[in-house]
Amino acid sequence: MSLKNNSKTVILGTGGTIAGTRNDPDNPNIYNSGRLGITDILAAASVDVSGLEFQDVAQIDSKNISLPVWQDLLKAVTQAQQRSDVGAVLITHGTDTLEETAFLLHALGPWPKPVLLTCAMKPADHPEADGPGNLADALALADNPGLSGVHVVFNAKAHHALHVQKTSTDVLQAFSSGEQGVSALKTPAGWQLQPLLLAELLLEKPSQTWFLQQSLWPRVEWLTHHAASTPTLIQALLQPLDSAPPLRGLVVAGTGAGTVKPSWQSALQLAMALGVEVWLTSRCTWGRALSQAQQVAGTLVDLPPAKACVALSLHLMAQDESASAA
Ligand code: SIN
């Protein structure tokens, strides 16, 4: 039950392993994501639902997240934030693209009341399901009066949306936010908020109205530079296709400080000459492209590639919105 100012927590279900069930009871690791609705997840986790409101926004494996689901989620979060009887929003989500959804919501904020996301590495009917504990932890953190913004609650830590990344596929501590991004720690005395020094997100973003009106996510692709890579993928992406809208943006996860070999530099220069926006980051988990290593024009971006793709799409939407107003 949510206690903060006697206000409610609104829970929005989207699917994921936290909503998954096993196919074969003898093999707990074979399961399908997103099978349970939020009512069944809360029942399976024995959550006391007084003081809670809940709603299914989607029931998907988060690898299938799409613009319409993000739009529905944004609408639901906005509505909940505007209500005086609501103190926090909690989203249940798959782990695989959780950092993208968290980043998107952060970028489209600010949110004066906390928007928490939680998830699980084991399905709801697993003998060692971690979803119930994460849900209970997130509900307790939702009551913390000092919290605002977007955070991922997982395995006794809360991570800020700007920094959190899924860093493991097979251990329970599957998320990390490096040294800078832990926003709260669960202690025997309860949740303790941690001081956060967040860089301002210098990102052009569309208005919520424009974002909600769009039927297409601007086409942005992500390429990782590696020792044996050739520029042929970049050249292929520049070809017009009947089956896809034209390429608008490229996120390049360069080696080390964001470097790419000369053949990539030429191919990227051609992409930019054809009007493709190129953003440069690093393939290192905690690395970023550094200006002193920059060999190709393009925008250096202080985000990991998955979040850079979301940010670049928002940037392109913002440009479209400005152009439509001109
Ligand atoms: C998903 O992201 O929906 C599947 C994987 C997970 O939740 O752990």
Side-chain angles (χ1 to χ4, degrees):
M1 156 140 176
S2 181
L3 297 174
K4 185 168 64 175
N5 303 326
N6 293 323
S7 56
K8 292 179 180 149
T9 294
V10 170
I11 308 185
L12 306 171
T14 67
T17 295
I18 194 167
T21 55
R22 294 175 288 172
N23 300 330
D24 169 5
D26 296 330
N27 193 342
N29 296 319
I30 307 291
Y31 65 93
N32 281 107
S33 287
R35 275 189 173 148
L36 301 181
I38 192 65
T39 312
D40 292 331
I41 297 175
L42 295 172
S46 306
V47 171
D48 170 6
V49 294
S50 51
L52 302 178
E53 267 184 39
F54 32 95
Q55 145 190 3
D56 287 304
V57 171
Q59 244 180 277
I60 54 168
D61 182 314
S62 77
K63 69 175 183 288
N64 299 321
I65 198 111
S66 58
L67 179 61
V69 176
W70 273 340
Q71 287 167 327
D72 288 347
L73 199 53
L74 181 68
K75 272 187 254 173
V77 170
T78 305
Q79 276 163 13
Q81 289 271 331
Q82 286 167 346
R83 283 176 46 187
S84 58
D85 61 336
V86 169
V89 184
L90 171 58
I91 300 166
T92 55
H93 199 290
T95 60
D96 286 345
T97 60
L98 183 141
E99 67 208 61
E100 279 128 291
T101 298
F103 176 80
L104 177 90
L105 291 172
H106 171 67
L108 295 176
W111 308 110
K113 302 168 188 175
V115 178
L116 305 179
L117 296 98
T118 198
C119 53
M121 289 297 281
K122 295 181 190 294
D125 61 350
H126 191 289
E128 292 151 24
D130 53 329
N134 289 334
L135 258 177
D137 286 348
L139 286 168
L141 184 60
D143 284 336
N144 193 304
L147 197 65
S148 62
V150 186
H151 307 264
V152 171
V153 182
F154 188 78
N155 205 16
K157 282 186 183 158
H159 304 273
H160 193 275
L162 199 52
H163 294 287
V164 69
Q165 294 186 66
K166 184 172 179 181
T167 51
S168 175
T169 55
D170 59 358
V171 297
L172 267 190
Q173 191 53 279
F175 287 87
S176 170
S177 49
E179 289 169 10
Q180 316 172 56
V182 174
S183 46
L185 281 174
K186 189 180 164 193
T187 72
W191 280 102
Q192 277 188 358
L193 301 188
Q194 302 296 301
L196 273 178
L197 266 183
L198 290 177
E200 194 188 341
L201 188 59
L202 298 171
L203 172 69
E204 256 188 280
K205 57 182 183 178
S207 65
Q208 282 200 15
T209 310
W210 183 268
F211 179 84
L212 292 175
Q213 282 167 350
Q214 301 314 297
S215 54
L216 272 187
W217 193 236
R219 185 167 156 231
V220 166
E221 305 287 354
W222 158 8
L223 294 175
T224 301
H225 181 254
H226 60 98
S229 57
T230 70
T232 47
L233 259 182
I234 305 172
Q235 289 149 0
L237 284 170
L238 297 177
Q239 300 305 315
L241 292 175
D242 288 338
S243 54
L247 183 69
R248 305 267 320 267
L250 263 182
V251 167
V252 178
T255 25
T259 56
V260 292
K261 60 186 78 179
S263 58
W264 273 55
Q265 292 168 28
S266 314
L268 290 172
Q269 244 118 33
L270 174 64
M272 283 184 279
L274 293 173
V276 175
E277 183 106 23
V278 173
W279 281 17
L280 305 166
T281 180
S282 168
R283 70 180 203 183
C284 299
T285 306
W286 302 117
R288 301 293 174 259
L290 302 176
S291 55
Q292 57 269 35
Q294 186 169 7
Q295 307 141 315
V296 60
T299 305
L300 295 182
V301 54
D302 190 10
L303 290 168
K307 289 179 183 174
C309 288
V310 175
L312 180 47
S313 295
L314 292 176
H315 169 85
L316 292 167
M317 277 188 181
Q319 284 187 342
D320 294 344
E321 186 174 12
S322 303
S324 84

